[in-house]
Amino acid sequence: MDQLPVLSLLTPLREAFSQHHQVILEAPTGAGKSTALPLAMLDWDELEGKILMLEPRRVAARSVAHFIASQRGCQVGEEVGYRVRGESRSQASTRLEIVTEGVLTRMIQQDPELSGIDMIIFDEIHERHLTTDLGLALALEIQGSFREDLKILAMSATLSGLPLTELMPKAISLNSEGRSFPVELVYRASTSSQQGRSAHHWIDHMGRVIVELLTQGDEKGLYSHGSLLAFLPGQGEIVKLQEFLNSRLDLNLFSICPLYGSLPPKMQDKAIAEPSDGKRKVVLSTNVAESSLTIQGITMVVDSGYKRQASFNARTGVTRLSLKRISQASAAQRAGRAGRLAPGYCLRLWSQEEQGRLLKADEPEILHSDLIPMVLDGACWGVKALDELPMLTTASQPNENAAWQLLEQLDVVDKQRKITSHGRQAYELGCHPRLAHMLLKAKSLTKGTHRELVGLACILAGVLESRSRGQHGIDISGYLRESIQGESGQQVRQWMRKLNVNSDLQACITNACNEDIAFLLALAFPDRVAKSRGVSGYLLANGTGVTLPEHDALNSADWLVVADFQESEGRTSGRVYLAAQIDVESFKSRLQFLVEKQEYCGWDDVKGRFYAESQQRIGQIVLSKSALTKPDPEQIKLAIFEQLRNKGLGLLNMNDKALQLQNRLMLAATLDSEQAWPDMSHGKLIDTLADWLGPYLNDVKSLSQLRSLDCYTLLLNQLEWSAQQRLETLFPTHWAMATGTRAGITYDDAGRALLSVRLQEALGMAQSPVLANGKLTVTMELLSPAHRPLALTADLASFWQGPYVEVKKEMKGRYPKHLWPDDPANTTPTRFTKKKTLNQGS
């Protein structure tokens, strides 16, 4: 510990905090920033209050707390403690508390002044987890309003691509050297990994490589005495690789230890600790081991190069998991694990060429993750959009909008995005807003009835929040008993305490009926009520298609409520993991709140007319319908808009004049900054149908009437008269030739102006015409006397001097009656033959 590089920064760091309360520290792998730095700060006289240090992962928070406590000679939970979701080892007198970022945001919401806390340390901030970005934003908000004395230390292994200095422009920046031993890098891609991502192919390749390393050693025989760390994308791949290795390695010599987030703490500790039985350790880990953890005895790393990335689909409201290549920064972090304690060896299962194509750094989660919990935090803080907070990166707008919409649907926020009393109670429960809404509704509905719903609701929430579940089929009722055991059971009982209920959980499970389960899940997932589509799975109320395993018992149900499903790369339908069957009769009673009555007007392609009907709907699912005799004009408008969105503007009379107007306006917006030109692209017109087309549809009742509308005039009328005149001046539709001909100018979607005219009428023109105050040169399409293309040029002067000579040779014999002068640039243009031109001249 005395030799760690970061210790040389202790004095500069204390001086920096005496001048300013924000410090940015860049310290590479092995510098000691996660351990030696907070350990030393415990002896700083100026820090009388508590130090909070944030770690991105639970396993790292626990490990760091245990290590620092051992260095101080105390038990965890005394001077040094930790707090992660579902587990707390700290007390009021704890001086250094290691927490995960989600814990910090709740501390700030409960006590915006963070009483008794002197410093917040953000460790591994470059990993850009959602809760990291939010925790830093709220801490900066507090520092700027309530607590100017609060010290903030942002620590990162690298500042490359991290806009910390933009967010904290007055912060003092410090740099530390890393401490790592040299790591030999070797690349060994498998043929199958280059052709595709079949899990069995690359996992088998990885298994063979690991067995070879452990039994035969590396090429130089330098590192085969130590333990090995293998990086895989997820728990599923870890289990498969563990099965492969169990049958091929001598388990008397090797101890195979998985390491992932949902693993019980004791097994995580075993993976991290130094082997006590003399065996060499083989740790199979997700990216939880990339940073902040030093796993004892590791000298070799085998890296699959893959990660599991979660991307939220705003349309379906579900997260899609995809297998992705890691970034170069992540690859460097993983390789560094082999050189923490001694020289090491890293085998990368991809090619060196592919290494150069990897992204430089991982994208922040705020660009592709589910933002619902984050938006709820923002609403509790009092903002109506996340960009009102000092964020490192602007959130994905579709994902944020989807989050606000769901929270409004659940009555967590109102239409003005202000948190409701129901939303405050939901936040205090500390679970996903969907489940919190279910718990609160269950409690309110239980009052005055004999039916016990709260305990069952807590059990269902426990199933859905569990980090590990058995395999008991799709029906969620098969998981109720296991959810009241272990960590999940602790969480269930914690919710019951917060709700101030004392249900007999065993009795709740015994008395649970499918009707109650479906009802409770529908409260949390109203958009995931699903109707059978026969052989092709189910349609969710949000319009998404999902499927169940072919032989699952629920596959024959007509109606379901889907509590857990995922979309995967390469699959057209989502895969259902948990659901409950719904009795269709319940839509007339307990689930009636899901049913909306709506008048709908559409177009019947077979009968060629509009139709109207009254529908009972659950989102995108039509429950029942009945015909309406007279469609409302506004409903017909909506039907027209739907047709245009589905089939495009080709249903309208978008003639060449209208298309030319669109292209002229596109050029005007690019080349004329003095005027604010409207966007009339196809996409924009589709998005704004109600504005520019809607006023003219009052008497339209058929597609033939729709096609009779003069779209060119409708679009032109969107421009004020002065703008129309300016457009005609800068981008005219015709050009007056010296012969008196008004030659048409065509504007294409590539930004080119094309003037087509017979070559004889362009004689005497020294240069091509220029438009837009000299910013756009017209391309001349010179035609033969028979109006066939001869040449295309935007440099008429060069054409006369060069290519024209060849054109003249070829055309003079074919069209002898027409003028083909030797000096075209100085010849009077004509629309006629030579004879007629001479007669006119005389």
Side-chain angles (χ1 to χ4, degrees):
M1 289 289 289
D2 295 339
Q3 306 301 316
L4 291 172
V6 78
L7 296 179
S8 65
L9 288 180
L10 286 178
T11 300
L13 188 59
R14 292 182 81 165
E15 292 174 353
F17 274 120
S18 69
Q19 302 168 33
H20 199 271
H21 289 152
Q22 294 177 0
V23 175
I24 299 170
L25 173 61
E26 184 176 21
T29 297
K33 62 181 182 299
S34 305
T35 51
L37 199 57
L39 175 64
M41 286 179 173
L42 286 170
D43 295 322
W44 287 10
D45 296 335
E46 60 268 33
L47 295 177
E48 298 179 358
K50 181 179 289 189
I51 303 169
L52 278 184
M53 185 165 81
L54 283 85
E55 288 293 338
R57 298 181 176 89
R58 298 196 304 176
V59 59
R62 293 175 57 258
S63 174
V64 169
H66 278 282
F67 179 80
I68 295 177
S70 69
Q71 294 294 307
R72 298 290 288 187
C74 67
Q75 295 293 317
V76 171
E78 297 174 355
E79 184 184 32
V80 180
Y82 67 86
R83 202 185 325 177
V84 300
R85 186 177 180 185
E87 187 181 4
S88 177
R89 297 280 298 276
S90 65
Q91 55 192 17
S93 59
T94 298
R95 293 277 325 287
L96 171 64
E97 190 171 11
I98 320 294
V99 302
T100 47
E101 296 101 325
V103 172
L104 172 67
T105 55
R106 292 199 164 268
M107 292 175 69
I108 291 174
Q109 298 278 14
Q110 292 164 4
D111 177 14
E113 294 187 7
L114 286 181
S115 306
I117 294 173
D118 278 6
M119 177 180 285
I120 304 177
I121 303 172
F122 291 87
D123 194 17
E124 310 295 357
I125 202 167
H126 64 277
E127 293 192 11
R128 301 302 308 278
H129 295 282
L130 270 182
T131 44
T132 307
D133 285 13
L134 180 61
L136 179 61
L138 294 180
L140 291 173
E141 285 265 294
I142 288 175
Q143 192 185 57
S145 51
F146 308 114
R147 289 284 311 280
E148 292 183 2
D149 64 317
L150 180 67
K151 296 176 174 60
I152 295 177
L153 173 59
M155 303 196 303
S156 176
T158 174
L159 293 179
S160 176
L162 189 64
L164 264 179
T165 53
E166 299 171 20
L167 190 66
M168 304 161 63
K170 296 182 180 179
I172 297 174
S173 295
L174 298 174
N175 287 278
S176 169
E177 295 180 356
R179 187 195 72 167
S180 59
F181 294 89
V183 175
E184 181 181 348
L185 293 176
V186 178
Y187 294 87
R188 192 186 297 178
S190 69
T191 304
S192 58
S193 71
Q194 293 166 350
Q195 294 173 348
R197 294 179 180 175
S198 170
H200 289 294
H201 283 304
W202 68 259
I203 288 177
D204 286 353
H205 173 63
M206 190 173 190
R208 288 191 294 270
V209 165
I210 290 173
V211 170
E212 179 185 326
L213 269 178
L214 292 173
T215 57
Q216 302 176 27
D218 59 276
E219 289 88 339
K220 300 177 182 177
L222 299 176
Y223 314 106
S224 55
H225 59 281
S227 294
L228 183 145
L229 170 62
F231 282 102
L232 295 104
Q235 180 180 343
E237 290 84 4
I238 287 175
V239 171
K240 289 176 184 174
L241 183 58
Q242 187 172 11
E243 291 173 353
F244 182 98
L245 296 177
N246 279 340
S247 63
R248 290 165 174 82
L249 289 176
D250 185 347
L251 300 184
N252 293 314
L253 300 177
F254 300 99
S255 176
I256 302 174
C257 304
L259 179 60
Y260 47 85
S262 62
L263 201 66
K266 287 186 178 179
M267 294 187 70
Q268 291 179 347
D269 293 342
K270 178 185 176 183
I272 295 169
E274 193 166 358
S276 57
D277 52 8
K279 295 181 182 180
R280 292 171 65 192
K281 194 182 336 183
V282 182
V283 180
L284 311 180
S285 177
T286 62
N287 57 7
V288 299
E290 269 189 23
S291 55
S292 299
L293 285 177
T294 297
I295 302 177
Q296 298 298 320
I298 297 296
T299 60
M300 294 181 288
V301 164
V302 176
D303 189 357
S304 70
Y306 288 122
K307 65 176 179 178
R308 190 77 65 198
Q309 180 169 298
S311 300
F312 182 73
N313 185 334
R315 186 184 65 82
T316 62
V318 74
T319 294
R320 169 177 293 184
L321 292 179
S322 303
L323 194 64
K324 300 286 187 182
R325 276 296 188 194
I326 60 175
S327 65
Q328 292 184 23
S330 183
Q333 287 276 67
R334 292 181 176 189
R337 299 290 101 186
R340 292 297 293 269
L341 305 174
Y345 178 89
C346 175
L347 183 58
R348 291 172 169 172
L349 301 184
W350 62 93
S351 68
Q352 192 161 5
E353 179 189 10
E354 188 174 1
Q355 168 70 16
R357 297 197 302 267
L358 299 180
L359 291 175
K360 297 294 183 185
D362 292 323
E363 288 185 326
E365 287 185 353
I366 200 169
L367 293 179
H368 51 72
S369 290
D370 177 2
L371 299 181
I372 293 170
M374 189 181 202
V375 164
L376 177 55
D377 262 300
C380 282
W381 192 247
V383 301
K384 294 179 173 58
L386 292 177
D387 62 9
E388 294 178 22
L389 295 169
M391 305 297 296
L392 274 168
T393 302
T394 301
S396 160
Q397 204 57 54
N399 291 5
E400 183 178 349
N401 289 340
W404 286 110
Q405 288 168 12
L406 178 70
L407 293 182
E408 183 181 337
Q409 184 181 4
L410 298 177
D411 193 32
V412 171
V413 299
D414 60 21
K415 292 186 181 300
Q416 286 71 45
R417 294 186 172 181
K418 183 179 179 181
I419 194 163
T420 62
S421 58
H422 178 70
R424 290 278 179 199
Q425 295 175 64
Y427 184 80
E428 291 301 319
L429 288 174
C431 53
H432 194 282
R434 287 181 182 271
L435 302 182
H437 173 73
M438 175 185 71
L439 295 176
L440 293 171
K441 283 291 185 181
K443 181 178 180 180
S444 66
L445 291 169
T446 298
K447 293 177 181 177
T449 70
H450 299 292
R451 179 175 264 129
E452 172 58 73
L453 289 178
V454 186
L456 180 57
C458 289
I459 293 169
L460 289 172
V463 174
L464 294 168
E465 290 269 282
S466 175
R467 293 170 64 88
S468 60
R469 290 195 293 261
Q471 295 183 357
H472 310 300
I474 302 301
D475 193 332
I476 197 171
S477 63
Y479 298 83
L480 302 184
R481 293 198 180 279
E482 73 175 36
S483 74
I484 61 174
Q485 309 297 323
E487 184 179 333
S488 178
Q490 294 175 13
Q491 183 64 73
V492 169
R493 291 172 178 83
Q494 183 178 336
W495 286 324
M496 292 178 64
R497 286 193 295 272
K498 288 184 177 181
L499 291 166
N500 197 27
V501 294
N502 187 25
S503 303
D504 183 337
L505 295 179
Q506 292 289 355
C508 288
I509 293 172
T510 302
N511 298 327
C513 65
N514 196 70
E515 181 187 354
D516 286 346
I517 292 173
F519 170 66
L520 290 169
L521 292 180
L523 291 171
F525 305 99
D527 53 331
R528 297 188 193 171
V529 170
K531 183 181 181 182
S532 174
R533 294 194 297 196
V535 295
S536 58
Y538 290 79
L539 174 67
L540 298 187
N542 63 21
T544 306
V546 296
T547 57
L548 276 67
E550 183 179 354
H551 301 295
D552 191 86
L554 282 186
N555 227 333
S556 60
D558 292 327
W559 290 86
L560 299 173
V561 55
V562 175
D564 184 17
F565 83 100
Q566 281 183 349
E567 295 177 323
S568 300
E569 195 173 25
R571 291 175 60 96
T572 56
S573 297
R575 180 182 175 186
V576 176
Y577 290 99
L578 290 175
Q581 185 172 352
I582 297 177
D583 180 356
V584 68
E585 292 300 314
S586 62
F587 293 128
K588 300 175 183 177
S589 53
R590 299 176 81 186
L591 295 181
Q592 193 172 14
F593 70 92
L594 294 170
V595 182
E596 295 179 338
K597 184 178 180 181
Q598 179 179 322
E599 289 189 357
Y600 175 77
C601 185
W603 174 257
D604 189 327
D605 283 320
V606 176
K607 296 181 179 179
R609 62 177 176 82
F610 288 103
Y611 67 91
E613 58 190 23
S614 176
Q615 297 179 343
Q616 299 281 329
R617 301 176 68 98
I618 302 172
Q620 299 295 310
I621 302 172
V622 178
L623 196 59
S624 64
K625 58 188 177 183
S626 58
L628 293 174
T629 55
K630 190 177 180 181
D632 182 272
E634 287 302 314
Q635 291 294 327
I636 292 180
K637 278 188 184 182
L638 295 176
I640 291 173
F641 294 157
E642 183 179 13
Q643 283 292 301
L644 290 170
R645 292 188 187 102
N646 291 336
K647 298 184 178 180
L649 297 179
L651 294 177
L652 298 170
N653 180 22
M654 289 292 288
N655 57 23
D656 189 60
K657 285 178 67 177
L659 297 175
Q660 284 296 295
L661 177 60
Q662 288 179 291
N663 290 340
R664 291 163 70 201
L665 285 169
M666 179 183 68
L667 272 171
T670 304
L671 300 178
D672 180 30
S673 58
E674 296 182 18
Q675 173 88 24
W677 296 100
D679 180 0
M680 289 193 189
S681 63
H682 269 54
K684 186 66 174 180
L685 291 181
I686 288 288
D687 291 341
T688 57
L689 287 169
D691 298 329
W692 69 272
L693 184 61
Y696 304 97
L697 298 180
N698 294 329
D699 298 321
V700 174
K701 293 182 174 60
S702 68
L703 290 184
S704 60
Q705 289 177 308
L706 183 65
R707 292 192 185 97
S708 69
L709 294 174
D710 181 0
C711 288
Y712 168 74
T713 302
L714 298 187
L715 295 178
L716 187 64
N717 287 342
Q718 299 296 305
L719 299 174
E720 295 182 357
W721 176 250
S722 59
Q724 293 182 29
Q725 295 299 106
R726 184 174 181 85
L727 184 67
E728 184 59 33
T729 300
L730 296 178
F731 303 94
T733 58
H734 293 81
W735 185 265
M737 304 297 292
T739 58
T741 296
R742 292 184 72 245
I745 301 177
T746 301
Y747 298 87
D748 63 22
D749 54 11
R752 184 176 61 170
L754 187 69
L755 189 154
S756 295
V757 68
R758 286 185 297 178
L759 182 146
Q760 283 73 18
E761 295 195 62
L763 296 173
M765 292 179 67
Q767 295 289 347
S768 300
V770 177
L771 309 178
N773 293 326
K775 296 179 181 177
L776 178 65
T777 301
V778 173
T779 298
M780 301 285 290
E781 185 182 42
L782 301 176
L783 308 176
S784 72
H787 292 274
R788 292 187 175 87
L790 293 177
L792 197 67
T793 179
D795 186 351
L796 199 55
S798 295
F799 173 75
W800 293 138
Q801 294 173 9
Y804 169 72
V805 176
E806 295 301 318
V807 171
K808 181 182 68 170
K809 285 180 184 178
E810 184 178 347
M811 292 294 110
K812 197 169 184 179
R814 188 176 299 179
Y815 300 100
K817 296 181 180 180
H818 290 78
L819 198 61
W820 302 98
D822 294 332
D823 186 9
N826 295 303
T827 301
T828 304
T830 180
R831 290 186 293 171
F832 309 112
T833 61
K834 288 190 289 186
K835 182 177 180 180
K836 194 170 182 180
T837 300
L838 290 173
N839 289 339
Q840 283 191 333
S842 60

